[in-house]
Amino acid sequence: MFSVLEQQLMSLVDIIPLQAFVFIASIIEEIVAPIPSPAVMLIAGTVAKVQLLSIPEIFLVICIAVIGKTIGALCVYGLAYKAEGMLLPRFGKYFGITESDVDRLGARLTGKPRDYFVFTFLRAIPIFPSVLLSAGSGLLKVPLNIYIVSTFFGSIIRDSIYFYA
């Protein structure tokens, strides 16, 4: 089923402009975790090379993709944030996590540069599944400002790596 979704998503690149493709596909890629993370940006990089895009055009494509990824990641974060109240009381004991643990972690995330750096670094690592970071951040109630900024800048690094590859 997901390979069909992947194929349909990738066929969009022939129909719509590259900027629209990376925006739409990045949102979908972030929400539908089984789509391989590098798929959209690898294709976008190939298309950009064929179209002989300039450096500013490439940067624009990457930024548009990152905005799409940030929107998609916010959807996952929001669902996990809302689900925390239902999931933690039922399943927290299996992972050794209590509501007080979540509250303590939230109190430690005060918006210091270290918080932004850690979350940006985790988002930038290509092998770290971004859906886990999005869902985990929502469940642990990471402050929204830290989440959005680190998702945006970490995704710029990650997507640039994939785009260049």
Side-chain angles (χ1 to χ4, degrees), residues 120-155:
T120 300
F121 178 75
L122 290 173
R123 180 70 65 177
I125 299 173
I127 59 170
F128 194 83
S130 62
V131 73
L132 289 179
L133 188 57
S134 297
S137 295
L139 288 173
L140 296 175
K141 303 215 183 277
V142 171
L144 197 54
N145 59 331
I146 295 172
Y147 181 76
I148 290 172
V149 170
S150 64
T151 296
F152 184 82
F153 288 107
S155 294

Side-chain angles (χ1 to χ4, degrees), residues 95-116:
F95 298 102
I97 301 171
T98 65
E99 287 188 52
S100 63
D101 294 334
V102 171
D103 293 340
R104 270 197 312 275
L105 177 64
R108 292 182 67 196
L109 298 172
T110 59
K112 292 181 181 172
R114 176 202 62 196
D115 300 335
Y116 288 94

